[in-house]
Amino acid sequence: MITAERLTKRYGDKTAVDAIDFTVRPGAVTGFLGPNGAGKSTTMRMVMGLDHPSGGRVTVNGRAYRDLPAPLHEVGALLEAKAIHGGRTAYNHLLWLAKTNGIPRRRVDEVIGMVGLDAVARKRSGGFSLGMGQRLGIAAALLGDPGVLLFDEPVNGLDPEGIRWIRNLIRSLAAEGRTVFVSSHLMSEMALTADHLLVIGRGAILADTDMSDFIARNSAAHVRVRSPQGGVLAEALRERGWAIRRDDDGALLVDGATSEQVGDVAGSRGLYLHELSVVNASLEEAFMRLTADSVEYHARTDQPVPAGV
Amino acid sequence: MTTPTTLSPPAAAPAPRADVGRPRLTFGRLLDAEWTKIRTVRSTVWTLASLFVLSVGLTALICWGVAGELADDTAGEPVGAFVTWGLMFGQIAALVLGILVASAEYSSGMIRTTLAAAPRRWPVLAAKTTVLTAVLLVLGAITSTVAILAGNFFLDREGIGFSLTDPDVLRTMVGGGLYLAVLGVFGLALGLLMRHTAGAVTVGIALIFIVGNLVGLIPGATGEWLTKLMPGNAGTTLATVESFNPDLLGPWTGFGVFAGETALLLLVAGWLFSRRDA
């Protein structure tokens, strides 16, 4: 369980994280979604006690990170691929780390096996590929068998096989009852792994919602229809109680209707149609809308937005 | 490389657990971890090897070269300054090792792993300092002892060798270890302050080995005292049987000054370390 209360980080007069509140619960994957520079990494570093908050507080299992009696037994983190001295072997990296928290040596071998680095464990990590480095970072995170895990952009730069592996790993860790907090700037990635979604933009929480709610609200399809008699058609559609928006090229976007219904309305009035199609809104677009400049975001009230904004 | 797609189940249930009976962070564990760190990178081996080889080799070389002249007393040089002559060069390795202990954590980004495992920063710094001090104390004492033995071998052949039970010789054998240990800690503090290897090495070498000689050019008592008090000058007399510069502070007084300066720098570095974001 991670709890942030009015958590704030300022660098000079720039506010990177602006008094955010959130809770990351056990037994689920909480996605931390936001564009680059939104404050995701800064927030995660504050959770880990690496960066000092300018205001507010954040606790892990009810305690500030620095007050944890043996942090690796409670929290595991993959903060960035490169938090490893390249001159040291993977085994020795995990060994010194294990020693800080009194973790037995056999656990080092165990986690090396879990992430599939057995063959290269005695090689210096400087020669590791990005994917191998990521696996080593994950081995380090799992070392203390912690109940809380943080992954900062875990799939960045990985090949498809590595991405699938990490996804499965993250899902299985949450299924075991652990608290899993994963950041990403990719909506599509979050849609596949997260149960809960925290959207952050410009240091503020823009959405705190269940992934399924977010999908239901934002993946609703609409019908796109283009007619030379657009004005008449729009009037006819409005009479049926459907919300109409105009696209840039003059086409009508109809929410809440099927293409059959729209076509029937046009037919019954004898109107010509030049185009009739169903458009599936993408989650990526919904996310882009959310995290676009907040002024622009508030101005566009016609867009579906998730609860909790 | 094998790539399992699922994990073996964890050894224990991940539900919230009581702290009772579970490992805690202790200073002993931090020492063990820092010892593991320092012995598992090749840079340690290389710096310590060059410390030994430069110190002993150059001492032997100069003593072999000048023993004859010294015996004829035509040079008018202090004989005791030659038996640890190579340490002037070897000591750079001790400084660099100290710097690397701190700066390598920053250049690699590993400092975040370190502080995630041990979030309280003063104990981390204390563990690093202790391990570094112990390593350099032992290796420094061995190095200066072997250097003295090697240099003295050539001086002995010309009949101007020292008795190995001479108090100043014994003091230098131990003093070499003490001086190099404190010099390493000086480097550690510098590396932690600057968080950048090349920068810290440049500043360290300039401060200890160049500025220390240049301040003597300042005329009058100011220059004289600055020369006495510069960290390298103050500390080095403990690690020589007899100094080239008779105006420097006595061995133990000088070492006290050097240790004090280093402690101050370490405190400043530690204070910043505890406040800065990692």
Side-chain angles (χ1 to χ4, degrees), chain A residues 23-25 28-32 171 182 190 193-198 207-212:
Chain A
T23 302
V24 183
R25 292 187 176 76
V29 177
T30 300
F32 196 28
R171 300 274 348 142
V182 187
M190 289 289 92
T193 43
D195 305 299
H196 195 82
L197 194 62
L198 276 174
D208 184 346
T209 171
D210 271 350
M211 195 70 219
S212 52

Side-chain angles (χ1 to χ4, degrees), chain A residues 9 11 45 48-52 63 65-74 79-80 82-85 87-89 92-93 95-97 99-102 113-118 120 124 132 135 142 145-147 161 164-165 168-169 172-173 176-178, chain B residues 1-17 19 22-26 29-30 32-43 104-121 273-278:
Chain A
K9 182 67 181 180
Y11 298 102
R45 285 201 304 270
M48 303 293 296
L50 296 172
D51 286 11
H52 305 293
R63 275 194 264 219
Y65 194 91
R66 70 191 311 269
D67 295 329
L68 299 175
L72 296 185
H73 292 270
E74 291 191 57
L79 285 189
E80 56 202 308
K82 209 179 126 294
I84 293 156
H85 188 300
R88 199 173 276 119
T89 66
N92 283 330
H93 174 70
L95 183 63
W96 77 253
L97 195 54
K99 286 184 171 185
T100 56
N101 279 238
M114 281 182 187
V115 300
L117 284 179
D118 315 69
V120 293
R124 280 191 301 280
M132 285 152 78
R135 281 170 192 267
L142 298 174
D145 191 20
E161 193 275 329
R164 201 182 51 133
W165 177 75
N168 289 338
L169 171 73
S172 68
L173 288 168
E176 287 162 7
R178 298 175 211 254
Chain B
M1 192 166 67
T2 57
T3 51
T5 49
T6 51
L7 275 179
S8 357
R17 291 158 289 195
D19 298 333
R22 297 181 54 209
R24 303 175 65 87
L25 285 173
T26 61
R29 291 199 164 114
L30 291 184
D32 192 4
E34 288 299 332
W35 166 241
T36 308
K37 273 188 200 171
I38 205 168
R39 70 180 171 78
T40 54
V41 284
R42 289 200 297 190
S43 55
E105 294 240 0
Y106 284 97
S107 61
S108 65
M110 201 179 78
I111 188 69
R112 298 200 174 115
T113 311
T114 298
L115 294 178
R120 290 180 185 262
R121 300 182 183 188
F273 180 46
S274 67
R275 296 179 60 91
R276 281 198 289 217
D277 289 340

